[in-house]
C-alpha cells in the first residue's frame, strides 16, 4: 500500500519540498491550538483575579483602580464566612467516610478472589457515571420517601456516594502497582502481619490515599450539583452560596470570592505536588 | 512535605474538633430562618434580623437569599418538616402557597403593629401573613443604548429597541406580570394570554432566567430595555450604572409582597416577632429609603424624595397602578412555565 | 488484632472489606436511584405518592412531546460540539506536553490540574466577565481598539455555552491524552520517518491512531459531563436556553412536577449511557488491532 | 538442617510439585536448578512459607514448620528483584527485621553497621534503594536477610537482574560471604553456570520432580537422566544404534538405551580404524577450545570440543574421523534418549 503523500525512501533524499512546507504549516496549526488551549486554561482565572481588585461597584474590564474593598466586604459577611466553615466541615466528613469505605473496598477488589468480583467493581464505581444532579435528586426523593430531610448528613452522604469511585479507583491503581514481594520480604524478615500491613502495604499506598483525600475534599468543597438538592438550608455550603451570589449579585465581591477559591486550588496543588508529584496525579 | 505520624495526628485532631464544634454550640441557640432577597435588596431584612438578635438573647436570624421557587421545592421535599420559618411571597406564589398549605393563617391578635397597616392591604393577604412591602414592575432601560426613553408598555415594540429587549422567564412573578400586562394592552386578559405570547415572540427577546439575571443583562448592556422590578433598577442606578426606570403608561404593575409563617415553623413566637417587625415604622422607613425604594404598607411613613422615580408618588400615579387577577394566572402556572420554553427555546 | 485479621485485610481475601462500601451504596445510591426510577412511573400529588399510582403517562407524554425531542437534540448538539472542540484543543496540548522538557511539562500540568481543583461555578463565572455585554473583556477590548462599534452578543448564546463547557471540561480530555502520549513508543515514529513519511503524516498516521485508548477515554468522559451539565447552560445560556439537564432542574425545582422530572432524569441518564456505549463501540472498531488474536 | 519429605503442591488442577524430597545439611549451599515452570521457585516458596504444601512435611532444624507462617520460620529470603522497600534508606531496610523483633536501638545500630560492613556498603547507609546499582541492591538484600542470622537463607533467582559480567563476579562474591558466615542456603536458578559456581550440591528439577540431587562434579560426570545430562553442560546423547558404531563405547553401553558423551570427550582427526567418518558442518572458537559440529553418515550430529593446543583448525566441510577419547567417561542411561 502506497499513499500519495508517503514518499518511498529513495536513498538519502529527504521528503519533497512541498511536504516540508505542509509539515511546517501543519505543526504551526498544532502548536497554535496548543497555545490557545493553554490560554483558555489560564486566562479566565487571571481575569477573575484582576476584576476582584476593581474600584467600581460593578464588573468592568479593564478593572479601574486597585482596592481590597471587595475582600474586606467578603469577610464582613457573616453568611459567607459561615458557609465556608460549613463547607469545610462537610468536606472533612465526606472525605473521612469516603476513605474509610474506599480503602478496604479497593483491597478487596484488587486482591480478593471471589465470584462476581467484576460485578462488584462495576457497582462500586457506578456512581461516577451518574451526574451529580441525578444523585442529588434521587437522594432528595428517597429522603421524601422515608422522611429523611435535607441536612448536613444528607449532603455528606450524597457527596460520599459521588466521590467514592474516585477514591476507590485511585487506591486500586496504586495497589495494582504494588510489588507483592515487598510484603513477603517483610514477613520473611520476621515482621508480624500487622506490622507488614502498616509499614509496608499501607505505607506504599499513602500517596494514593493522600491524592484521594485531596480530590474528595476539593470535590466536596466545590460541589454544587449534589449540594443544590441535599444541603440543609440552615447550613448552606459555599458552593451553593456562590451559585446564588453569581445569580443575584453583580458586585465584584463575587470575583473576590472566586479569587480566593483559585488561591486555595493552587495551595492544594502545591501540597500535592510536594507530597506525591504532579506527574503521578495526572494518571 | 514529609508526612510524619505526629503531624498527621495533630491534623486529625484539629480536623475532628472543627467538625464537632458547631454541634455543641448549636444546642442552646434559638434560630429563625427567613427566606430573603438576593444581593443588596436583602439589607432591610438583615437590619431587622440584627435588631431581633440584639433584643432576644441566643437568637440567630438566618436569611436565605432565594427566588422563592426552589424554596417551595425544598419545603415540598421536606413534607411538613419545613426547614424554614417565614417567607415573603409575591401575590402569585402566595396564592399557590395557600392552596398547597405551605403557609399558615395569621392570628392578628398576636401582632402589636396590626393597626399600623394600610387597611386596604389586608384583604390581599387572604388572611395569611402580613403585607410587607410592594414593588412595581415597570420598564428599565440602559441610557447609553437608548436615544428615546420608553414611556409606555407598547414602547417595548418600538423599532429603536429591535432585538434589544429582554424579558424574564414566566417562572418568576416578573415574567408572569410582563405576560399579563402584555395580554391586557393587546386585547387579551388573564384568561386569554395567547395575544401576549404572540406579541412577546414578535420582540425576539433575550430571556433572563430570573429578575436578577435580567437586571444583570441590562447592566452589562446585553439588552437596552426590559420590564423590571423598580428595586432592581434602583440598586443598579445606585452603583453608578446608566440604568433608568420608568412607570410606563397606562401604569406599572404593583405586586404586594406578603410575609408569612411557613407551615411547621419551629418557634411561632419568633415568627410573629419577625412579622411584627416587618410592619413596624422603623423597618418600613428603611425599606422605603435609598437604594431599595420598596413601597410601604403602613400608614404615616413618608416616601423619600429620591424614591420618586421608583414609587407611585402622586394620587394619580397610585390610581394608575395596574393589578392582575393572579388567581387566574396561578391556576395554569406550570403550563405557563413550559409554554415559555416552547415559545422561546433558542 | 489477630494475625488472621491482618492477613485477610492485606490480601483482601474475600468480599468482606468491600462490604461496608456495598452496604453504603445499596442504601444511599441504589435505593435512591430506585425511588427516582419509580417516581417516573408514579402519580405524585403535593409530595404524596398516590395509592395504586402506577402510570406510564409520564413516559408516553414525554416521548410524544415535541419540546422534549427539541431539547434532546439541543443537549446532544451542544454536548457533541463542545466535546469535539475540547478534543481539538486538548490533543495538541497533550502532544506539546509529550514533546516538552521538564519545565514546560510542569507548567502544562499545573495549568491543567489547577482548574480541576477550582469550582466549576468560579470558572463559569469567569465567562460572564469575559463575554458579558459591552463591559465584557472581549467587547470592551474590541471597542477600545476601534474594531467594532456595537458590542457582539456573545453571552446567552449557544456559543457561550459551548466555549464555557469546553473550558471547564478541557482538563478531563487533556489528562488521559497526556497519559497515553507521554508513554508512547517513539521508535514507531522513527521507523515511519525512516521510511520516508513526512512528520505531519507520521503524526496523523502513527501518533494519533496509537493514542486511541486515551482519545476514547477523553471523549467518553467529556461527552458525559457536557451532556449532563446544567449549571453552565443556566448561567451562560440565558433564559431561553434549555437542555435536558436544565429541564430536569426546571421540572423538579420550578414546576414542582416530580414525576415528570424523574422521567426526564431517567431519559437523560439512559440516553447518556447509549451515547457513551456508542463512543466505546466506535473506539473498539477503530482499535481492532489492539484485540489479541487467539493463536491456535 | 532442612528436611523436606514428599512435598506435593497443586495450583488448581496443575500439579506443580510431585513428591519432592530434599535434605540439606547445615552450612551447605544447595541450588534448585531447572527450566522455568519446573516448580523450583514453588519449592523454595514452600520452604520459605509463602506457600503451604498440599502434602508432605517440612522440617527446619528439627522443628516441623510445614504450616508455620513465614515470619515465624527463621528463614532469610532474597527476592528475584530484591524487594527492597523503596521508601526506606539502605540502613532502614537492613534494620527492618531487627526493629520488627523490637531489638534495642544500640544493638540495631551496631549490627546494621556490621552487616553493611560485611557486604561492603558502609558508605551507602543513607542512600535509597533506587539510587543504587543492581549489585549494590543485591548486597543490601543479602545484608537485610543475614543480619537476622536466620537458620536458612533462601534466594530466588538472585542474579537475574544483573548484567552478565557483574553476575559472575557477584556469584563468586556471594559464595564467599555465605561461606564466611557459614549459613545454610538454598538458591533457585535456571542458569547452570551459576549453580556450578555457588553450590555444594545441586538439585536438578523437571516437571515438578527432583531429577537428581548431588554435588556438581557428580551431576556432571554421572547424570542419571538424559535431561540432567543435557541441562548441565553440553552433551551428545546417542541412541543405542548410533552408539554401537563406536566400538570402544560398546562396553560402557552394556545394553542400555542411550549413551551420554561430553563434547570434550569427542576426539577428531584420528585414523579410520578407531573412528567413524564424519563431516564438519559448523565450527567456532570458544576461547581456549574449538567447538565443532560433525555430521555422521547416518545424519547424527555430534558436538566436539577440541583443545586448541597443537590442533590445526578444521574448516566447515572438511572430512574427519570421530572417536571417543575415554570410553569410561561416557555414561550409559537406561531410559530412551
Amino acid at each position: 500500500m502506497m499513499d500519495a503523500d508517503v514518499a518511498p525512501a529513495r536513498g538519502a533524499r529527504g521528503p519533497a519540498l512541498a511536504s516540508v512546507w505542509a509539515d511546517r504549516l501543519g505543526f504551526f496549526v498544532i502548536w497554535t491550538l496548543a497555545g490557545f488551549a493553554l490560554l483558555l486554561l489560564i486566562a479566565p482565572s487571571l481575569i477573575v483575579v484582576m476584576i476582584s481588585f476593581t474600584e467600581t461597584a460593578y464588573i468592568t474590564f479593564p478593572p479601574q483602580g486597585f482596592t481590597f474593598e471587595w475582600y474586606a466586604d467578603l469577610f464582613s459577611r457573616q453568611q459567607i464566612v459561615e458557609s465556608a466553615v460549613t463547607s469545610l466541615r462537610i468536606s472533612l466528613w465526606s472525605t473521612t467516610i469516603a476513605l474509610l469505605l474506599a480503602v478496604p473496598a479497593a483491597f478487596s477488589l484488587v486482591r480478593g478472589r471471589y465470584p462476581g468480583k467484576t460485578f462488584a467493581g462495576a457497582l462500586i464505581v457506578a456512581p461516577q457515571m451518574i451526574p451529580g444532579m441525578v444523585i442529588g435528586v434521587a437522594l432528595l426523593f428517597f429522603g421524601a420517601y422515608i422522611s429523611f430531610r435535607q441536612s448536613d448528613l444528607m449532603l455528606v452522604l450524597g457527596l460520599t456516594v459521588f466521590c467514592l469511585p474516585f477514591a476507590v479507583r485511585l487506591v486500586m491503581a496504586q495497589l495494582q502497582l504494588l510489588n507483592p514481594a515487598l510484603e513477603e520480604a517483610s514477613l520473611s524478615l520476621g515482621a508480624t502481619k500487622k506490622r507488614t500491613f502498616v509499614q509496608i502495604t499501607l505505607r506504599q499506598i499513602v500517596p494514593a490515599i493522600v491524592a484521594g483525600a485531596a480530590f474528595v475534599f476539593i470535590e466536596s468543597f466545590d460541589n454544587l450539583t449534589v449540594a443544590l438538592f441535599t444541603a440543609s438550608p440552615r447550613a448552606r455550603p459555599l458552593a451553593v452560596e456562590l451559585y446564588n451570589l453569581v445569580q443575584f449579585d453583580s458586585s465584584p465581591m463575587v470575583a473576590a470570592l472566586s479569587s480566593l477559591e483559585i488561591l486555595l486550588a493552587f495551595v492544594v496543588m502545591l501540597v500535592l505536588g510536594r507530597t506525591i508529584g504532579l506527574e503521578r496525579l495526572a494518571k | 512535605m514529609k508526612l510524619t505520624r505526629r503531624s498527621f495526628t495533630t491534623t486529625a485532631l484539629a480536623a475532628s474538633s472543627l467538625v464537632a464544634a458547631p454541634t455543641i454550640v448549636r444546642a442552646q441557640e434559638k434560630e429563625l430562618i427567613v427566606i430573603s432577597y438576593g444581593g443588596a435588596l436583602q439589607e432591610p431584612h438583615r437590619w431587622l434580623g440584627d435588631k431581633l438578635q440584639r433584643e432576644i438573647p441566643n437568637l440567630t436570624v438566618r436569611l436565605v437569599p432565594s427566588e422563592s421557587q426552589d424554596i417551595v421545592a425544598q419545603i415540598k421535599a421536606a413534607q411538613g418538616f419545613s426547614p424554614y420559618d417565614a417567607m415573603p411571597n409575591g401575590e402569585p406564589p402566595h396564592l399557590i402557597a395557600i392552596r398547597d398549605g405551605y403557609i399558615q393563617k395569621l392570628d392578628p391578635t398576636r401582632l402589636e403593629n396590626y393597626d399600623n397597616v394600610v387597611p386596604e392591604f389586608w384583604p390581599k393577604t387572604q388572611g395569611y401573613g402580613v403585607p410587607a412591602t410592594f414593588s412595581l414592575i415597570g420598564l428599565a432601560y440602559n441610557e447609553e443604548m437608548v436615544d428615546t426613553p420608553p414611556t409606555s408598555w407598547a414602547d417595548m415594540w418600538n423599532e429603536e429597541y429591535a432585538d434589544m429587549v429582554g424579558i424574564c422567564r414566566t417562572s418568576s412573578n416578573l415574567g408572569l406580570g410582563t405576560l399579563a400586562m402584555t395580554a391586557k394592552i393587546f386585547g387579551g386578559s388573564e384568561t386569554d394570554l395567547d395575544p401576549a405570547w404572540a406579541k412577546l415572540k414578535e420582540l425576539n427577546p433575550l430571556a433572563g432566567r430570573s429578575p436578577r439575571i435580567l437586571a444583570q443583562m441590562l447592566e452589562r448592556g446585553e439588552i437596552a430595555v426590559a420590564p423590571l422590578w423598580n428595586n432592581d433598577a434602583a440598586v443598579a442606578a445606585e452603583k453608578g450604572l446608566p440604568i433608568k426606570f420608568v412607570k410606563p403608561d397606562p401604569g406599572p404593575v404593583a405586586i404586594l409582597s406578603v410575609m408569612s409563617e411557613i407551615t411547621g415553623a419551629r418557634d411561632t413566637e419568633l415568627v410573629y416577632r419577625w412579622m411584627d417587625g416587618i410592619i413596624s415604622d422603623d423597618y418600613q422607613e428603611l425599606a422605603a429609603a435609598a437604594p431599595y425604594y420598596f413601597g410601604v404598607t403602613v400608614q404615616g411613613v413618608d416616601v423619600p424624595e429620591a424614591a420618586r422615580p421608583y414609587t407611585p408618588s402622586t394620587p394619580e400615579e397610585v390610581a394608575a397602578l395596574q393589578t392582575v387577577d393572579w388567581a387566574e394566572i396561578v391556576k395554569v402556572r406550570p403550563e405557563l412555565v413550559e409554554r415559555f420554553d416552547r415559545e422561546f427555546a433558542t | 488484632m489477630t494475625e488472621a485479621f491482618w492477613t485477610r485485610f492485606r490480601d483482601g481475601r474475600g468480599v468482606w472489606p468491600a462490604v461496608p462500601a456495598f452496604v453504603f451504596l445499596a442504601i444511599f445510591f441504589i435505593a435512591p436511584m430506585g425511588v427516582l426510577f419509580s417516581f417516573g412511573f408514579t402519580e405524585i400529588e403535593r409530595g404524596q405518592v398516590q395509592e395504586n399510582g402506577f402510570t406510564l403517562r409520564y413516559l408516553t407524554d414525554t416521548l410524544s412531546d415535541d419540546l422534549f425531542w427539541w431539547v434532546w437534540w439541543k443537549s446532544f448538539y451542544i454536548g457533541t460540539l463542545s466535546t469535539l472542540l475540547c478534543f481539538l484543543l486538548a490533543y495538541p496540548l497533550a502532544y506539546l506536553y509529550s514533546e516538552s522538557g521538564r519545565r514546560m511539562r510542569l507548567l502544562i500540568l499545573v495549568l491543567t490540574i489547577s482548574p480541576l481543583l477550582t469550582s466549576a461555578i468560579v470558572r463559569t463565572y469567569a465567562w460572564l466577565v469575559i463575554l458579558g455585554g459591552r463591559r465584557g473583556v472581549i467587547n470592551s477590548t474590541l471597542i477600545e481598539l476601534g474594531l467594532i462599534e456595537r458590542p457582539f452578543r456573545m453571552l446567552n448564546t449557544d456559543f457561550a455555552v459551548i466555549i464555557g463547557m469546553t473550558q471547564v471540561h478541557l482538563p478531563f480530555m487533556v489528562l488521559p491524552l497526556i497519559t497515553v502520549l507521554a508513554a508512547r513508543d517513539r521508535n514507531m515514529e522513527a521507523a515511519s520517518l525512516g521510511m520516508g513519511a513526512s512528520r505531519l503524516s507520521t503524526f496523523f498516521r502513527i501518533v494519533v491512531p496509537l493514542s486511541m485508548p486515551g482519545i476514547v477515554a477523553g471523549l467518553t468522559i467529556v461527552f458525559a459531563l457536557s451532556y449532563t451539565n446544567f449549571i453552565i447552560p443556566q448561567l451562560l445560556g440565558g433564559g431561553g436556553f434549555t437542555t435536558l439537564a436544565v429541564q430536569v432542574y426546571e421540572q423538579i425545582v420550578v414546576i414542582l412536577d416530580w414525576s415528570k422530572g424523574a422521567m426526564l432524569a431517567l431519559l437523560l441518564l439512559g440516553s447518556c449511557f447509549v451515547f457513551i456505549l456508542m463512543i466505546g463501540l466506535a473506539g473498539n472498531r477503530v482499535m481492532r488491532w489492539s484485540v489479541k488474536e487467539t493463536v491456535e | 538442617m532442612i528436611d523436606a519429605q514428599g512435598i506435593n503442591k497443586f495450583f488448581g488442577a496443575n500439579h506443580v510439585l510431585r513428591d519432592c524430597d530434599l535434605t540439606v545439611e547445615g552450612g551447605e549451599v544447595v541450588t534448585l536448578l531447572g527450566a522455568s515452570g519446573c516448580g523450583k521457585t514453588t519449592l523454595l516458596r514452600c520452604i520459605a512459607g509463602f506457600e503451604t504444601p498440599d502434602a508432605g512435611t517440612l522440617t527446619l532444624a528439627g522443628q516441623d514448620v510445614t504450616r508455620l507462617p513465614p515470619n515465624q520460620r527463621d528463614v532469610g529470603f532474597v527476592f528475584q528483584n530484591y524487594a527492597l522497600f523503596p521508601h526506606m534508606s539502605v540502613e532502614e531496610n537492613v534494620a527492618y527485621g531487627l526493629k520488627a523483633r523490637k531489638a534495642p536501638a544500640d544493638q540495631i545500630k551496631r549490627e546494621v553497621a556490621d552487616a553493611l560492613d560485611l557486604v561492603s556498603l558502609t558508605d551507602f547507609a543513607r542512600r535509597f534503594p533506587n539510587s543504587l546499582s543492581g549489585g549494590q541492591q543485591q548486597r543490601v538484600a543479602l545484608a537485610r536477610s543475614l543480619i537476622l542470622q536466620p537458620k536458612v537463607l533462601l534466594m530466588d533467582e538472585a542474579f537475574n537482574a544483573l548484567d552478565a559480567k557483574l553476575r559472575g563476579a557477584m556469584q563468586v562474591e556471594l559464595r564467599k560471604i555465605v561461606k564466611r558466615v557459614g549459613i545454610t542456603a538454598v538458591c533457585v536458578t535456571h542458569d547452570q553456570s551459576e549453580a556450578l559456581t555457588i553450590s555444594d550440591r545441586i538439585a536438578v528439577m523437571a516437571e515438578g520432580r527432583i531429577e537428581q540431587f548431588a554435588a556438581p562434579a557428580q551431576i556432571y560426570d554421572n547424570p542419571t537422566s538424559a535431561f540432567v545430562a543435557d541441562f548441565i553442560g553440553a552433551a551428545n546423547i546417542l541412541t543405542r544404534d548410533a552408539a554401537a558404531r563406536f566400538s570402544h563405547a560398546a562396553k560402557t553401553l552394556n545394553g542400555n538405551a542411550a549413551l551420554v558423551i561430553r563434547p570434550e570427550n569427542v576426539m577428531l582427526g584420528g585414523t579410520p580404524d578407531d573412528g567413524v567418518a564424519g563431516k564438519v558442518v559448523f565450527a567456532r572458537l570458544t576461547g581456549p577450545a574449538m567447538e565443532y559440529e560433525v555430521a555422521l553418515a547416518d545424519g547424527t550430529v555430534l558436538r566436539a570440543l577440541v583443545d586448541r593446543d597443537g590442533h590445526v583448525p578444521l574448516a566447515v566441510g572438511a572430512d574427519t574421523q570421530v572417536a571417543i577419547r575415554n570410553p569410561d567417561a561416557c555414561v550409559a542411561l537406561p531410559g530412551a534418549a
Side-chain angles (χ1 to χ4, degrees), chain D:
Chain D
M1 183 57 85
I2 305 173
D3 192 17
Q5 292 299 327
I7 303 290
N8 274 277
K9 178 76 187 170
F10 293 85
F11 287 140
N14 204 355
H15 198 171
V16 284
L17 289 180
R18 301 167 191 256
D19 299 319
C20 291
D21 299 335
L22 189 76
T23 309
V24 182
E25 303 301 329
E28 198 178 21
V29 180
V30 165
T31 299
L32 306 179
L33 177 68
S36 65
C38 71
K40 56 188 191 300
T41 297
T42 309
L43 182 56
L44 191 77
R45 291 171 62 83
C46 283
I47 301 173
F50 300 136
E51 310 284 353
T52 312
D54 294 316
T57 56
L58 189 74
T59 323
L60 280 183
Q63 185 197 3
D64 182 356
V65 298
T66 316
R67 318 241 150 244
L68 219 55
N71 52 353
Q72 293 167 29
R73 282 195 183 194
D74 208 3
V75 295
F77 201 100
V78 176
F79 291 82
Q80 196 164 16
N81 292 303
Y82 318 128
L84 297 180
F85 305 132
H87 55 295
M88 297 181 186
S89 68
V90 166
E91 228 170 20
E92 286 169 325
N93 263 286
V94 176
Y96 185 85
L98 288 177
K99 278 189 187 153
R101 285 172 171 69
K102 307 213 164 32
D106 55 332
Q107 185 200 340
I108 293 180
K109 205 173 161 201
R110 201 172 58 241
E111 292 193 15
V112 168
D114 288 349
L116 289 179
D117 189 44
L118 179 72
V119 296
S120 323
L121 281 176
T122 311
D123 294 341
F124 296 85
R126 289 177 195 283
R127 299 266 286 267
F128 282 89
N130 283 342
S131 68
L132 299 183
S133 72
Q136 289 164 335
Q137 291 187 18
Q138 193 198 37
R139 281 183 281 156
V140 176
L142 196 61
R144 185 173 74 171
S145 297
L146 289 179
I147 195 172
L148 300 173
Q149 302 173 346
K151 295 194 193 97
V152 178
L153 179 67
L154 305 176
M155 286 189 283
D156 183 10
E157 302 272 15
F159 300 92
N160 243 11
L162 304 180
D163 61 65
K165 188 143 189 161
L166 187 59
R167 198 181 296 170
M170 282 306 297
Q171 287 162 1
V172 175
E173 180 74 21
L174 178 92
R175 167 123 185 134
K176 285 181 184 162
I177 293 174
V178 166
K179 281 298 163 190
R180 196 182 316 154
V181 177
I183 193 172
T184 310
V186 179
C187 311
V188 154
T189 184
H190 61 270
D191 177 354
Q192 48 143 327
S193 77
E194 177 182 326
L196 294 174
T197 310
I198 61 178
S199 323
D200 293 323
R201 279 199 287 167
I202 298 174
V204 182
M205 294 184 67
E207 290 169 4
R209 284 204 182 75
I210 296 180
E211 292 274 328
Q212 188 174 6
F213 182 33
Q218 179 71 14
I219 291 210
Y220 190 80
D221 293 339
N222 290 304
T224 55
S225 68
F227 176 81
V228 174
D230 197 40
F231 206 85
I232 300 281
N236 296 303
I237 300 170
L238 300 187
T239 57
R240 189 207 312 259
D241 298 340
R245 294 163 169 254
F246 296 95
S247 48
H248 334 4
K251 187 181 69 185
T252 320
L253 188 61
N254 198 17
N256 277 306
L259 190 69
V260 176
I261 310 165
R262 294 287 178 193
E264 62 272 22
N265 200 15
V266 175
M267 200 167 63
L268 297 183
T271 54
D273 22 298
D274 56 12
V276 181
K279 197 189 259 298
V280 175
V281 293
F282 176 75
R284 72 162 178 166
L285 178 68
T286 65
M290 284 298 292
E291 190 182 65
Y292 295 100
E293 283 179 15
V294 183
L296 304 186
D298 63 348
T300 311
V301 176
L302 277 180
R303 286 219 270 174
L305 204 61
V306 184
D307 202 66
R308 289 178 73 199
D309 190 20
H311 167 72
V312 181
L314 297 166
V316 172
D319 290 316
T320 185
Q321 294 294 318
V322 182
I324 292 169
R325 197 185 298 276
N326 175 9
D328 294 336
C330 297
V331 181
L333 296 174

Side-chain angles (χ1 to χ4, degrees), chain B residues 26-324:
Chain B
R26 194 169 293 163
Q28 49 209 345
E29 267 185 1
K30 278 188 198 170
E31 217 178 18
L32 182 68
I33 303 184
V34 183
I35 314 300
S36 180
Y37 310 108
L41 293 180
Q42 195 184 90
E43 290 309 314
H45 281 160
R46 187 76 266 163
W47 172 86
L48 182 58
D50 289 345
K51 182 164 172 273
L52 286 185
Q53 282 179 181
R54 280 193 302 274
E55 288 170 7
I56 304 169
N58 293 330
L59 174 70
T60 311
V61 177
R62 287 181 202 281
L63 300 179
V64 178
S66 189
E67 308 282 327
S68 56
Q69 37 178 307
D70 49 327
I71 297 302
V72 176
Q74 290 179 2
I75 294 173
K76 179 176 171 180
Q79 302 201 320
F81 301 96
S82 163
Y84 309 100
D85 299 310
M87 70 191 297
N89 278 315
E91 289 163 71
H94 185 66
L95 295 176
I96 294 173
I98 293 172
R99 184 191 72 193
D100 290 356
Y102 299 143
I103 54 176
Q104 286 294 296
K105 253 194 147 57
L106 183 77
D107 175 3
T109 59
R110 296 173 76 173
L111 291 173
E112 278 177 28
N113 296 329
Y114 185 83
D115 295 329
N116 246 7
V117 176
V118 180
E120 286 78 13
F121 284 116
W122 283 117
K124 291 199 173 231
T125 67
Q126 312 228 356
Y128 291 78
V130 299
T133 51
F134 67 88
S135 300
L136 302 186
I137 299 175
L139 286 178
Y141 63 95
N142 188 322
E143 265 185 312
E144 287 175 354
M145 302 172 70
V146 167
D147 292 332
T148 39
T151 54
S152 74
W153 283 109
D155 283 347
M156 278 167 71
W157 285 263
N158 260 3
E159 270 301 300
E160 193 196 329
Y161 316 141
D163 294 335
M164 295 201 302
V165 180
I167 59 169
C168 194
R169 283 179 68 85
T170 38
S171 49
S172 69
N173 298 340
L174 176 61
L176 291 174
T178 309
L179 187 69
M181 204 54 222
T182 309
K184 282 187 172 185
I185 54 173
F186 290 103
S189 70
E190 286 88 342
T191 47
D192 176 21
L193 294 165
D194 286 341
W197 287 114
K199 285 306 281 187
L200 286 176
K201 202 160 165 68
E202 228 173 72
L203 279 176
N204 185 25
L206 191 57
R209 196 154 282 279
S210 71
R212 284 295 310 145
I213 286 180
L214 188 64
Q216 287 189 30
M217 285 158 64
L218 196 62
E219 291 174 14
R220 285 192 292 254
E222 289 177 70
I223 48 175
V225 179
L228 202 66
W229 290 113
N230 57 346
N231 317 103
D232 285 327
V235 168
E238 179 79 11
K239 282 185 183 174
L241 289 157
I243 306 297
K244 282 273 188 300
F245 182 80
V246 291
K247 290 167 265 186
D249 292 333
V253 180
I255 293 185
L256 179 69
S257 170
V258 185
M259 180 65 75
S260 320
E261 175 195 349
I262 295 172
T263 304
R266 283 149 303 169
D267 191 337
T268 318
E269 189 51 46
L270 279 177
V271 178
Y272 273 85
R273 286 288 294 271
W274 173 264
M275 292 195 293
D276 229 357
I278 291 286
I279 50 175
S280 67
D281 289 357
D282 291 348
Y283 173 84
Q284 293 278 332
E285 232 164 74
L286 180 72
Y292 324 110
Y293 305 124
F294 283 109
V296 298
T297 54
V298 299
Q299 305 163 24
V301 171
D302 291 330
V303 176
E305 190 65 18
R308 206 166 270 280
Y310 299 100
T311 49
S313 40
T314 62
E316 294 78 45
E317 281 190 346
V318 174
L321 290 182
Q322 304 288 308
T323 51
V324 173

